[in-house]
Amino acid sequence: MKTRLLLSSLLIALSTTSFAQTHKAHWSYNGKESPEHWGDLLTEYQTCKLGKVQSPVNLEADNGMKVANKPLKMNYFPAEYQVENNGHTVQVSVAQENAPFITLNNKPFYLKQFHFHTPSEHTFKRQHYPLEIHFVHQSEDKALAVIAVMVNEGEANPALAPVVEKKLTVGQKEKLAQQIDIKALMPKEMARFRLNGSLTTPPCSENVAWTIFKAPIQASKAQIAAIEEMEGKNNRPTQPLNQRDVEVEQ
């Protein structure tokens, strides 16, 4: 009996040790795991504090900025999606092989997912919008391109209706019954900023091609509140621009 108990205790200890070695450090937007501490939580997260092209950033007037010379084309169409509350954000992932895509500098980037930040992460003249949507695209060689759209309070947005009606708790996911056409989540005014940056969450990997629309879209007060209720406040503070060029595109 003693031998069995010893063996059981040993197996539990080994299991616990293995979990501790493989489990990723938790991060959040509050307390000791908040953005100012991300770079110290795990070696893999050091770019969060040492990187020189981090996102998000503050954007000012575009006077004197370079004009972008990398054409952007959006090939968006209705698609099937799955929505999930992953504990950090409400994420809406493409649930089909034939994904919408963009073409950036003649290179296709396929939409993987879009998610939300409340309030916005990027600021305009130091001012936040109540909501920001990130559309994350990836090329076949794993390069990333993210389109950011700001959201202001106004009329209800039908494209957001199937997402906000779910009211998912952390860990819940569900396939949406109806398709979403994300063209309805793009501004009518196409002017935008372009710059190199990073992921805005750990591991804060750099060399992400960012496109940030100047004009916001609208969502109702109730829709914005529903997203914030699911994910809480989850915006990383703006980061130094350093020596980066910000380009403009009409």
Side-chain angles (χ1 to χ4, degrees), residues 134-152:
H134 289 170
F135 299 86
V136 182
H137 306 74
Q138 189 175 56
S139 64
E140 291 184 355
D141 60 3
K142 306 302 181 183
L144 292 175
V146 180
I147 291 179
V149 175
M150 307 300 137
V151 184
N152 231 345

Side-chain angles (χ1 to χ4, degrees), residues 59 70 72 74 102 104 122 132-135 145-150 190-196 208-214 247 249:
L59 297 161
K70 300 176 182 178
L72 172 68
M74 293 183 288
I102 62 173
L104 180 61
H122 290 88
E132 180 173 345
I133 310 176
H134 289 170
F135 299 86
V146 180
I147 291 179
V149 175
M150 307 300 137
M190 299 300 289
R192 48 202 179 253
F193 295 103
R194 298 273 296 280
L195 75 158
N196 290 326
V208 177
W210 278 92
T211 298
I212 306 158
F213 276 95
K214 293 183 184 181
E247 301 177 327
E249 187 174 24

